[in-house]
Amino acid sequence: AKNIAVMTSGGDAPGMNANVRAIIRAAIYKGCKAYAVYEGYSGLVKGGPEYIREMHWNDVRGWLAEGGTNIGTARCMEFKERWGRSAACKNMIDAGIDALIVCGGDGSLTGADLFRAEWPSLIKELHETGKITTQQYENHKHLNICGTLGSIDNDMSLTDATIGCYSSLARICKAIDYIDATANSHQRAFVIEVMGRHCGWLALMAGIATSADYLFIPEKPSSHKDWSDHMCEIVAAHRARGKRKTIVIVAEGAIASDLTPVTCEDVKNVLVDRLGLDTRITTLGHVQRGGNAVAYDRILATMQGVAAVDAVLEGTPEIPSPMISIIENKIVRKPLVEAVKLTKSVAEAIRSKDFAKAISLRDSEFVE
Ligand code: F6P
C-alpha cells in the first residue's frame, strides 16, 4: 500500500473535481491512503497538515459534477525555483507521500516531470544537510508521479481531449446561441473572443458547432495577406444570401499571417468601416471555465483518475513518468516528458511561422 496524493494545478477546469474524487476513491479502494495537496504547487511548497490533508471516501461526495477544483489551484512561481522544489520534496517526505498525481495543463506537467528528474539530487541534499533522516531517505529514493490532463484549452499533445475542454466548449456554444438571438433581431455583427491561450481548439470547434461566419486561430493564420479582404468577402457573401447576423470568433491567441496579434477591436473596425455593420464585441472570459462538467468530462476525469492510480502503483524508477491520455476513445498511458516536448515543439513552430511543421508535428502525434 502506498500513500498517494493528488493535486490540481494551473487554470481550473470543469471535471477536475471528478478527477480528484476518482483518484481518492480508487486509491482507498486499492488499499492505499489518499491525500490531497491544497492550492496546487504552492501548497506543496508550504506543506504541513493545512495543505497536505488525508482524504476519506466521504470527503469527495458530490464532487463528480461540480465545476472548478475544490482543493484549490494556483500558478506557482516558487516551484519554478529549485529552493521551492526542495521545500516541496521535504514536505512530501514529512507527510509520508510516496506518489503524486498532478491534474493540470502542460505547464503543470512540465513542473511535475522536472520534479521527478531532480528528486534524487533533492533528497540527497536534504539528507546531507540533516533535513531528513536516513530512514526517510531510504524510503523515498524514487518519486512516483503521474499526470492527468486538466485544462479547458485542449492544448496538450498526445491526447485527443483534456478534462474540461468539452464543458468549456458547451458553455461557449450556449453563450453564442444566446448572442445569435439578439444579433439576428438587430441584424448585427458580433465579434466573440474565446479562451485557449496559444491553442485554437475551443475557437475552431465553437466555430463548427455554431456555424460562425469567420474565425481566427493561432495555428493557422489566414494565408491571405490581408485577412480583412478575405473576411469581408465571406461575410458580405453570407449577408447577400439573406443572413441577418454575423458571428466572428477570435481565439485569444489569434495571429495574422505576419504574426501580429489579431484583436477583436481590429476585427470590429473592419466590419464597421468596410461593411457598415452595427458591431459589438463580447469577450466570454472566465464564464467559459465555470459551471458543472458535461457528461464527457465527468467520464474522462473518472477513467483517467482510476488509470492514474494504477499507473503509480505499477510505477518503477525505470519507467518514465506517465501521463494518462485518451486516444481514439481508449484510455492510454503516454510518456509525460514526450508529450510536454511535443506540445512545446508545436508552440515553437507556430512562433517561428513554420505552420506546415506545426501541422505535421500535430499529425505525427498519433503515429506509433
Ligand atoms: O489555461 C486556461 C486559461 O483559461 C486560458 O484559456 C487562458 O489564457 C488563461 O487560462 C487565463 O488565465 P487566468 O485565469 O489566470 O486569467
Side-chain angles (χ1 to χ4, degrees), residues 4 20-32 34 57 302 305-310 313:
I4 301 177
V20 171
R21 168 184 175 273
I23 289 164
I24 284 167
R25 290 193 168 176
I28 295 171
Y29 179 76
K30 302 250 160 160
C32 302
W57 194 269
T302 302
V306 174
V309 170
D310 285 342
L313 287 177

Side-chain angles (χ1 to χ4, degrees), residues 297-341:
D297 282 329
R298 299 178 201 185
I299 295 165
L300 181 62
T302 302
M303 294 197 305
Q304 280 201 5
V306 174
V309 170
D310 285 342
V312 292
L313 287 177
E314 288 163 23
T316 67
E318 294 71 42
I319 305 174
S321 303
M323 156 187 119
I324 310 296
S325 303
I326 184 158
I327 298 180
E328 293 186 349
N329 242 358
K330 289 191 182 60
I331 297 291
V332 288
R333 287 180 204 169
K334 288 280 167 189
L336 203 159
V337 64
E338 266 179 43
V340 166
K341 216 167 97 193

Side-chain angles (χ1 to χ4, degrees), residues 145-219:
I145 212 157
C146 177
T148 58
L149 297 160
S151 168
I152 62 161
D153 300 338
N154 203 8
D155 56 350
M156 192 77 187
S157 293
L158 298 184
T159 190
D160 291 345
T162 53
I163 297 167
C165 72
Y166 280 102
S167 303
S168 178
L169 180 60
R171 223 121 287 145
I172 293 169
C173 290
K174 192 163 208 164
I176 297 180
D177 290 346
Y178 290 156
I179 288 171
D180 267 353
T182 179
N184 212 39
S185 310
H186 291 261
Q187 300 190 57
R188 277 178 174 156
F190 275 81
V191 183
I192 300 171
E193 186 186 283
V194 305
M195 280 187 170
R197 204 180 289 269
H198 307 298
C199 182
W201 187 86
L202 284 171
L204 182 59
M205 295 303 146
I208 296 170
T210 62
S211 80
D213 294 79
Y214 203 83
L215 58 90
F216 294 88
I217 56 170
E219 292 88 340

Side-chain angles (χ1 to χ4, degrees), residues 261-277:
V262 175
T263 67
C264 291
E265 208 52 53
D266 298 335
V267 176
K268 176 185 171 184
N269 290 341
V270 171
L271 293 170
V272 172
D273 298 344
R274 299 205 19 205
L275 297 179
L277 292 173

Side-chain angles (χ1 to χ4, degrees), residues 132-144:
I132 56 171
T133 65
T134 304
Q135 183 72 52
Q136 285 178 315
Y137 176 67
E138 291 301 330
N139 289 348
H140 291 272
K141 280 224 160 125
H142 167 65
L143 172 67
N144 238 315

